[in-house]
Amino acid sequence: MIRVVLPAHLKNLAHVTGEVRLEVAGAVTQRLVLDTLEAKYPMLLGTIRDRRSGKRRAFIRFYACEEDLSNDSPDAPLPERVTVGEEPFIILGAMAGG
């Protein structure tokens, strides 16, 4: 079971509270987690990744186990503590402005 933490605006869009729990089969990667998340919550399509290119949106960041995974390959395996449900995969809306 993969635990996913969404930013407040995406929780509202997906009509969820707290963490999202996903059943993911196979090697757990960012791409697989996001594919599974978007399949379960289709209203999130295009909010985290660009629909055409599949690339992470500019103001979205990914974290797990106190590490910024935003620039890692989407096909790189996630940390083991995430794959066993010990730690969540965090999707964070970056802040900008001045």
Side-chain angles (χ1 to χ4, degrees):
M1 182 75 57
I2 305 298
R3 299 166 42 212
V4 179
V5 174
L6 295 171
H9 67 287
L10 294 182
K11 283 184 194 178
N12 288 339
L13 187 61
H15 305 288
V16 298
T17 58
E19 293 179 344
V20 173
R21 295 180 182 264
L22 302 172
E23 289 288 338
V24 178
V28 181
T29 64
Q30 286 181 23
R31 185 184 314 274
L32 184 57
V33 169
L34 295 174
D35 287 348
T36 305
L37 180 68
E38 290 170 344
K40 187 171 181 178
Y41 301 98
M43 66 285 284
L44 296 179
L45 279 168
T47 62
I48 299 168
R49 303 180 290 182
D50 181 83
R51 283 187 182 205
R52 290 192 185 132
S53 69
K55 292 186 180 190
R56 172 184 58 84
R57 294 219 170 263
F59 291 101
I60 296 288
R61 308 295 292 178
F62 303 135
Y63 291 90
C65 304
E66 298 181 20
E67 292 181 42
D68 185 350
L69 306 176
S70 304
N71 295 315
D72 288 3
S73 165
D75 297 312
L78 291 177
E80 184 178 345
R81 291 180 11 221
V82 172
T83 64
V84 298
E86 196 175 299
E87 292 283 336
F89 178 71
I90 301 168
I91 300 170
L92 187 67
M95 295 182 63

